[in-house]
CSV table of all heavy atoms in Angstrom, one decimal:
chain,number,residue,atom,x,y,z
A,1630,TYR,N,-38.4,87.6,46.4
A,1630,TYR,CA,-38.9,86.3,46.9
A,1630,TYR,C,-39.3,86.3,48.3
A,1630,TYR,O,-40.4,85.8,48.7
A,1630,TYR,CB,-37.9,85.2,46.6
A,1630,TYR,CG,-37.9,84.8,45.1
A,1630,TYR,CD1,-37.0,85.5,44.2
A,1630,TYR,CD2,-38.8,84.0,44.6
A,1630,TYR,CE1,-37.1,85.2,42.9
A,1630,TYR,CE2,-38.9,83.7,43.3
A,1630,TYR,CZ,-38.0,84.3,42.4
A,1630,TYR,OH,-38.1,84.1,41.1
A,1631,ALA,N,-38.5,86.8,49.2
A,1631,ALA,CA,-38.8,87.0,50.6
A,1631,ALA,C,-39.3,85.7,51.3
A,1631,ALA,O,-40.2,85.6,52.1
A,1631,ALA,CB,-39.9,88.1,50.8
A,1632,ASN,N,-38.7,84.6,50.9
A,1632,ASN,CA,-39.0,83.3,51.5
A,1632,ASN,C,-38.3,83.3,52.9
A,1632,ASN,O,-37.2,83.7,53.1
A,1632,ASN,CB,-38.4,82.1,50.7
A,1632,ASN,CG,-39.1,82.0,49.4
A,1632,ASN,OD1,-40.3,82.1,49.3
A,1632,ASN,ND2,-38.3,81.7,48.3
A,1633,VAL,N,-39.1,82.8,53.9
A,1633,VAL,CA,-38.5,82.7,55.2
A,1633,VAL,C,-37.3,81.8,55.2
A,1633,VAL,O,-37.4,80.7,54.8
A,1633,VAL,CB,-39.6,82.2,56.2
A,1633,VAL,CG1,-38.9,82.0,57.6
A,1633,VAL,CG2,-40.8,83.2,56.3
A,1634,ASN,N,-36.2,82.4,55.6
A,1634,ASN,CA,-34.9,81.7,55.5
A,1634,ASN,C,-34.0,82.1,56.7
A,1634,ASN,O,-33.4,83.2,56.6
A,1634,ASN,CB,-34.3,82.0,54.2
A,1634,ASN,CG,-33.0,81.1,53.9
A,1634,ASN,OD1,-32.5,80.5,54.8
A,1634,ASN,ND2,-32.6,81.1,52.6
A,1635,PRO,N,-33.8,81.2,57.7
A,1635,PRO,CA,-33.0,81.5,58.8
A,1635,PRO,C,-31.5,81.7,58.5
A,1635,PRO,O,-30.8,82.3,59.2
A,1635,PRO,CB,-33.2,80.3,59.8
A,1635,PRO,CG,-33.7,79.2,58.9
A,1635,PRO,CD,-34.4,79.8,57.8
A,1636,GLU,N,-31.1,81.3,57.3
A,1636,GLU,CA,-29.7,81.4,56.9
A,1636,GLU,C,-29.4,82.7,56.2
A,1636,GLU,O,-28.2,83.0,55.9
A,1636,GLU,CB,-29.3,80.2,55.9
A,1636,GLU,CG,-29.2,78.9,56.7
A,1636,GLU,CD,-29.4,77.7,55.8
A,1636,GLU,OE1,-29.0,77.8,54.6
A,1636,GLU,OE2,-29.8,76.7,56.3
A,1637,VAL,N,-30.4,83.5,55.8
A,1637,VAL,CA,-30.2,84.8,55.2
A,1637,VAL,C,-30.6,85.8,56.1
A,1637,VAL,O,-31.8,86.0,56.3
A,1637,VAL,CB,-30.9,84.9,53.8
A,1637,VAL,CG1,-30.7,86.3,53.2
A,1637,VAL,CG2,-30.4,83.8,52.8
A,1638,ASP,N,-29.7,86.5,56.7
A,1638,ASP,CA,-30.0,87.6,57.7
A,1638,ASP,C,-30.5,88.8,56.9
A,1638,ASP,O,-30.0,89.1,55.8
A,1638,ASP,CB,-28.8,87.9,58.5
A,1638,ASP,CG,-28.5,86.8,59.6
A,1638,ASP,OD1,-29.5,86.1,59.9
A,1638,ASP,OD2,-27.4,86.8,60.0
A,1639,HIS,N,-31.3,89.6,57.6
A,1639,HIS,CA,-31.6,90.9,57.2
A,1639,HIS,C,-30.4,91.7,57.5
A,1639,HIS,O,-29.7,91.4,58.5
A,1639,HIS,CB,-32.8,91.5,58.0
A,1639,HIS,CG,-33.3,92.8,57.6
A,1639,HIS,ND1,-32.6,93.9,58.0
A,1639,HIS,CD2,-34.4,93.2,56.9
A,1639,HIS,CE1,-33.3,95.0,57.5
A,1639,HIS,NE2,-34.4,94.6,56.8
A,1640,PRO,N,-30.0,92.7,56.6
A,1640,PRO,CA,-28.7,93.4,56.9
A,1640,PRO,C,-28.6,94.0,58.3
A,1640,PRO,O,-27.5,94.2,58.8
A,1640,PRO,CB,-28.7,94.5,55.8
A,1640,PRO,CG,-29.7,94.1,54.8
A,1640,PRO,CD,-30.6,93.1,55.4
A,1641,ARG,N,-29.7,94.3,58.9
A,1641,ARG,CA,-29.7,94.9,60.2
A,1641,ARG,C,-30.0,94.0,61.4
A,1641,ARG,O,-29.9,94.4,62.5
A,1641,ARG,CB,-30.6,96.2,60.2
A,1641,ARG,CG,-30.1,97.3,59.4
A,1641,ARG,CD,-30.9,98.5,59.4
A,1641,ARG,NE,-32.1,98.4,58.5
A,1641,ARG,CZ,-33.3,98.8,58.9
A,1641,ARG,NH1,-33.5,99.3,60.1
A,1641,ARG,NH2,-34.3,98.7,58.0
A,1642,TRP,N,-30.4,92.8,61.1
A,1642,TRP,CA,-30.6,91.8,62.2
A,1642,TRP,C,-30.6,90.4,61.7
A,1642,TRP,O,-30.8,90.1,60.5
A,1642,TRP,CB,-31.9,92.2,62.9
A,1642,TRP,CG,-33.2,92.2,62.1
A,1642,TRP,CD1,-33.8,91.1,61.5
A,1642,TRP,CD2,-33.8,93.4,61.6
A,1642,TRP,NE1,-34.9,91.5,60.8
A,1642,TRP,CE2,-34.9,92.9,60.8
A,1642,TRP,CE3,-33.7,94.7,61.7
A,1642,TRP,CZ2,-35.8,93.8,60.1
A,1642,TRP,CZ3,-34.6,95.6,61.1
A,1642,TRP,CH2,-35.6,95.1,60.3
A,1643,SER,N,-30.5,89.5,62.7
A,1643,SER,CA,-30.5,88.1,62.3
A,1643,SER,C,-31.9,87.6,62.1
A,1643,SER,O,-32.9,88.2,62.6
A,1643,SER,CB,-29.9,87.3,63.5
A,1643,SER,OG,-30.3,85.9,63.4
Side-chain angles (χ1 to χ4, degrees):
Y1630 285 93
N1632 293 319
V1633 173
N1634 187 342
E1636 287 157 30
V1637 176
D1638 287 337
H1639 185 281
R1641 290 182 279 137
W1642 56 76
S1643 162

